[in-house]
Structures are given as structure tokens and as C-alpha cells.
Amino acid sequence: MSDEPRIYTVASYKGGVGKTTLASELAYVLDAVLVDLDWDRGNATRAWGYRTEERSNAPMLDAIETGRTPRPLKGVRKADLVPCHEDFVETQPAPDVMASLLERWAKEWGRDLVVDTHPGGSPSTLGAMSAAHRILVPAPFGEKEHEALEGMVQQLADYPLMVIPSRVPPVPPARDIERLRRITEAAGVPVGPPISHYVWMPRRTRRMAVSAPPVTKQGQGFADEVAAVAQAVVV
């Protein structure tokens, strides 16, 4: 296996699929830098505890404007972070520039990156997918979710995708399992370990990673599932 840093991009054409949670936890488990490219307020940056309105500078915007490599914020029982900013929606670079920046940052830090992205096909998301060694696509079961997934895997047939079934109910409907199988087999996309549906997750307010030790009894199942995803993507 190469010692070169690797880039894992978490992306989806649909919002609300568990993308940010997966990216944040995966970055912690892999000891990677979490790079947040999602400018919406429900992003990894605010979940981490960083408030742009309380800061006088914007590391992401400053790095793009000056050409300097940002310094990740150190996390305690959570991943190190390069935070996003609301103004990134207007200042995000073209896809090829974003891809080059991520590759350079990973090399200069000497660390893997996990990149969280804005839903859809914005320039920064396309750049993060272009730079990725593996693109993780969280995929909850449901008609709209599967429609979005099918469109994404068809459009990105040449990209290194891996579908991660997410928010999977205890007894998933057979029709949803079959639909996911048809979509992924038709596109030749591998399916990684699933992430179950945890009703307590949206209510969680603690800033540390769920998978950070000591893992609570409540979070143990989730932590084990994230570890399985991490193992799958680095093989």
C-alpha cells in the first residue's frame, strides 16, 4: 500500500442522508483531517463547535485567497478540522482548482483527508470527487433516495464510488434491498458496510465523535459500524 496521503470524499446528490455524520466520524477513526466544503449551517463545522460569526478570520477562504495551506484546528476526541464558511458558496474555486488544493494540502500535511461536501454538483464538490481515491455515497432506503443514488452512479460511472447504505432500519424492506442491488450492480459500484438507523443520533448535542473512546454503551453499535466502513475504504 502506498504511503502517500489519501483523500476520501463523502458526497451525495441528495441532502439529509447522513453525509456529515459519516464524514466526521470517519475522519476521527482514520486520524484524518476533516475538510468541510459544506457552507450550510447544518454542516460539520458547526457540529464540531466552530462558529464563524465568533471568528475574525476564515481559514478556508484565507487559504484559497492567499494560496497558503491552512492549519487544521486541533480536535479533542474529534477530528482535526479545516472549517467552512458561509461565504464559501460565492468564493468556491473551479473543480480543477479545488482538486489541486486538496491534493497539495494532503501532501503538505502528510495526512489523509476526509472531505465533507455540499449536496449536489457544486464546483467544490466536483473538485473533491475528482481528487478522491474513494468517494463514499451514503444511501438511505426510500424511493426518492434511490432515485438520487441511481442518477449519481450513472453520471459518475468512471469515479471510484462506494455506496454506504445508511439509516438502515432493523428489518429493511425486501424491495429496497433489491432496488439497491440492481442500482449498484448495473453501475458496477461496490457496496460497503451499512450504517443502521439510530433514533438518538439527531438529538445528540455532544461535540466529540461518537466513536471516540470511551465509547458509550448507546453508541457502541454505531462506532463498530463506522470502524467497519473505515476498514473497507482503506483496503
Side-chain angles (χ1 to χ4, degrees):
M1 184 182 297
S2 172
D3 291 332
E4 288 292 313
R6 298 179 67 83
I7 298 173
Y8 305 104
T9 295
V10 184
S12 173
Y13 279 4
K14 189 178 187 306
V17 297
K19 178 174 55 59
T20 295
T21 298
L22 178 60
S24 300
E25 297 291 334
L26 194 61
Y28 176 79
V29 171
L30 295 175
D31 191 28
V33 178
L34 176 61
V35 179
D36 189 8
L37 301 184
D38 186 356
W39 54 83
D40 286 340
R41 282 212 165 190
N43 60 8
T45 293
R46 295 188 77 83
W48 194 90
Y50 186 95
R51 296 290 183 266
T52 56
E53 65 272 19
E54 298 173 358
R55 308 287 179 140
S56 59
N57 63 341
M60 177 77 69
L61 306 186
D62 293 346
I64 293 171
E65 181 178 356
T66 64
R68 293 195 294 266
T69 299
R71 179 179 298 177
L73 305 176
K74 300 299 292 183
V76 177
R77 297 180 62 197
K78 55 188 176 183
D80 295 350
L81 173 76
V82 176
C84 199
H85 191 280
E86 290 83 354
D87 291 346
F88 186 63
V89 62
E90 302 293 346
T91 59
Q92 58 184 309
D96 58 331
V97 176
M98 190 77 252
S100 296
L101 287 172
L102 292 171
E103 291 167 350
R104 178 162 62 83
W105 295 350
K107 185 172 292 186
E108 292 190 13
W109 293 328
R111 296 180 65 184
D112 294 343
L113 309 186
V114 174
V115 186
D116 193 20
T117 58
H118 192 270
S122 66
S124 58
T125 297
L126 294 174
M129 291 194 295
S130 296
H133 295 86
R134 178 69 77 183
I135 301 169
L136 303 180
V137 186
F141 287 172
E143 184 64 27
K144 292 180 179 179
E145 289 79 2
H146 280 162
E147 287 290 343
L149 175 66
E150 188 167 25
M152 184 174 183
V153 299
Q154 288 176 352
Q155 292 179 26
L156 303 176
D158 296 333
Y159 285 69
L161 303 175
M162 174 181 283
V163 171
I164 306 296
S166 62
R167 298 181 180 170
V168 178
V171 183
R175 66 179 181 276
D176 286 336
I177 297 174
E178 178 60 21
R179 179 79 186 277
L180 179 63
R181 185 191 64 79
R182 289 200 307 268
I183 291 171
T184 54
E185 287 186 357
V189 174
V191 177
I195 302 292
S196 300
H197 177 60
Y198 294 96
V199 296
W200 50 267
M201 190 70 75
R203 301 192 297 268
R204 189 174 189 273
T205 58
R206 303 178 73 185
R207 301 297 181 191
M208 71 283 291
V210 179
S211 51
V215 178
T216 65
K217 182 177 180 180
Q218 183 184 48
Q220 187 63 59
F222 175 80
D224 291 343
E225 290 172 357
V226 170
V229 173
Q231 179 64 29
V233 300
V234 299
V235 170

